[in-house]
Amino acid sequence: MSKFFERVKIMNKIMMTMSLVLATFAPLAQAAGIGVIDLERVVENSTYLKQQNTAFQQKIQPQTTKIDQLSKELEALQQRAQANSKISDAEKQKMSAQYQAKLQELAQLQQTVQGSVQSSIQQIRTVFDGRVKQIAEQLRKENNLDVVLNKNSTLTYDAKYDLTDKMIQKVNAIK
């Protein structure tokens, strides 16, 4: 019987020790925090991205107007050639040369605009990504979090961990 009581005492000591360990580390486990950001909403509500888009549209407006104009001229040349079956060979050659010249001008202009678009998108994306990462780190520290995740990377979460509105405010506050 004494061995039984000894085992019970040992078990009680082990249980007491485990309780102390759990009591010590439980607050630390609860202190670990996770925040969630809806990056799509951040992008949609970014004044920086809206301003950059407007500025870029204004920048390429003359080129896009010229592209539209050249497209209409090419269509008109094509229709004129199809409508006039009694055109002389010299006139056909002249129209063909005009068409080819406009087509080449259009292709070059489109290529220039495409290069400009890609370059601008890359530059804007780099700046915006830097801002988002900077603000995410700031929010992580302010809210004593271990991790800030993209909403699309999580299967489910409690809405109280959503930092999206704070992120939007802080990203938009950067000038």
Side-chain angles (χ1 to χ4, degrees), residues 34-45 132 136 147-165 167-168:
I34 295 176
V36 180
I37 304 290
D38 184 344
L39 283 177
E40 287 180 34
R41 271 190 49 221
V42 173
V43 168
E44 289 169 4
N45 292 289
V132 166
V147 165
V148 176
L149 299 173
N150 181 353
K151 174 186 168 189
N152 294 332
S153 300
T154 60
L155 295 175
T156 185
Y157 65 94
D158 190 328
K160 71 182 178 185
Y161 299 114
D162 192 329
L163 302 170
T164 304
D165 292 332
M167 171 71 87
I168 291 168

Side-chain angles (χ1 to χ4, degrees), residues 23-148:
T24 302
F25 289 110
L28 294 176
Q30 291 174 352
I34 295 176
V36 180
I37 304 290
D38 184 344
L39 283 177
E40 287 180 34
R41 271 190 49 221
V42 173
V43 168
E44 289 169 4
N45 292 289
S46 168
T47 55
Y48 169 76
L49 291 177
K50 289 174 184 175
Q51 290 166 348
Q52 292 301 310
N53 185 45
T54 300
F56 183 71
Q57 292 295 331
Q58 291 172 350
K59 177 183 170 186
I60 65 167
Q61 182 61 44
Q63 294 165 319
T64 56
T65 300
K66 182 68 175 173
I67 287 172
D68 290 341
Q69 177 190 344
L70 285 170
S71 295
K72 289 176 184 175
E73 289 174 11
L74 283 168
E75 189 178 326
L77 277 172
Q78 193 174 24
Q79 287 176 353
R80 201 169 85 199
Q82 290 173 350
N84 295 329
S85 58
K86 298 180 181 178
I87 298 176
S88 67
D89 286 344
E91 187 64 28
K92 284 181 186 177
Q93 279 185 328
K94 182 179 174 186
M95 287 177 69
S96 179
Q98 285 177 337
Y99 187 86
Q100 290 302 320
K102 288 189 185 297
L103 190 59
Q104 186 175 5
E105 183 181 358
L106 176 64
Q108 288 173 344
L109 190 54
Q110 286 174 327
Q111 189 175 12
T112 301
V113 169
Q114 183 178 0
S116 180
V117 167
Q118 288 173 343
S119 174
S120 291
I121 287 172
Q122 183 61 39
Q123 180 183 7
I124 292 167
R125 177 182 238 168
T126 300
V127 170
F128 188 71
D129 284 352
R131 288 180 176 192
V132 166
K133 287 177 183 174
Q134 174 189 355
I135 299 301
E137 178 63 15
Q138 184 180 356
L139 287 170
R140 187 189 69 75
K141 288 178 180 177
E142 287 174 1
N143 293 282
N144 196 28
L145 302 173
D146 295 319
V147 165
V148 176

